[in-house]
Amino acid sequence: MHGPESLLGVRDRLRTAAFAEIQAREAFLWAADRFEDVPLELREAWRELADQEDKHLGWLLKRLAELGGSPDEAPVSTRLWQSLRACVSGREFAVLIAKAEERGRAAGDSFRRTLAGRDAESARVFGAIADEEVEHIALAKRYFPDCA
C-alpha cells in the first residue's frame, strides 16, 4: 500500500473506488431485476442509482488516466459483489448496499480532506462522489427506517 498522498497511493485509491462503483452499479441493476419483494418505485430508484454509479466510475477512470494510471495495475477485491449477490431479499440488499455506500462516503470524505492541499482535482472527485452517496444511503432509510 502506498501513502494516500503519493501518486501511486492516489492511483490505488482511484482504481479501488472505480471497482467499487462497478460492483455497486451491477448490483443495483441485478437487485432491480431480482427482488420483487420491494416496491417497484424502489427498484426503479435502484436503476437510477446504477446510472449514478456509472457516472462516478467515469469520473474516477478519467482522473486515473490523467494521473497515468490504469484500472488493471493491480488486483481488486470482489468481496462487495459476492456479499451483495448473496442477499435473499430486497430489504437485506438495501441495508447491505447502504452500509457499503456509507463506507464509500466516509472514505471519499477522508480522501477529499487528505488530498485537498496536494491534489485538488482528485480531492474534488472523491468529494463529489461522497456528497452523492448521501442520497444513496438515504434511499434505504426511506424504505426501511429501522435499518439505520
Side-chain angles (χ1 to χ4, degrees):
M1 184 69 72
H2 307 284
E5 294 181 35
S6 73
L7 176 60
L8 292 176
V10 173
R11 286 174 18 186
D12 184 54
R13 280 147 185 80
L14 288 164
R15 184 180 49 262
T16 300
F19 193 61
E21 297 292 338
I22 290 170
Q23 292 178 86
R25 178 192 67 199
E26 295 305 310
F28 278 127
L29 293 172
W30 171 80
D33 289 338
R34 166 104 166 72
F35 296 117
E36 295 183 3
D37 63 328
V38 297
L40 177 61
E41 296 81 21
L42 177 56
R43 296 193 324 262
E44 290 171 352
W46 285 342
R47 287 185 181 89
E48 291 172 17
L49 292 184
D51 290 341
Q52 288 184 20
E53 302 293 358
D54 197 55
K55 176 182 69 174
H56 297 167
L57 173 63
W59 293 346
L60 292 160
L61 292 177
K62 179 179 184 282
R63 185 63 186 146
L64 181 61
E66 290 168 352
L67 295 176
S70 170
D72 60 357
E73 285 179 315
V76 289
S77 172
T78 60
R79 190 175 321 142
L80 176 60
W81 173 248
Q82 292 167 351
S83 65
L84 292 168
R85 285 291 303 250
C87 292
V88 297
S89 71
R91 182 187 194 289
E92 181 184 8
F93 173 83
V95 171
L96 191 60
I97 200 155
K99 289 178 182 179
E101 298 274 75
E102 173 54 29
R103 287 189 304 274
R105 186 210 57 77
D109 267 348
S110 176
F111 297 148
R112 171 179 18 206
R113 289 188 306 276
T114 301
L115 298 173
R118 297 189 52 141
D119 182 349
E121 182 57 20
S122 293
R124 185 198 65 73
V125 168
F126 281 118
I129 293 169
D131 292 344
E132 290 192 7
E133 298 297 1
V134 171
E135 176 187 327
H136 299 192
I137 297 161
L139 182 65
K141 291 179 182 177
R142 188 165 46 249
Y143 283 88
F144 305 105
D146 61 326
C147 77

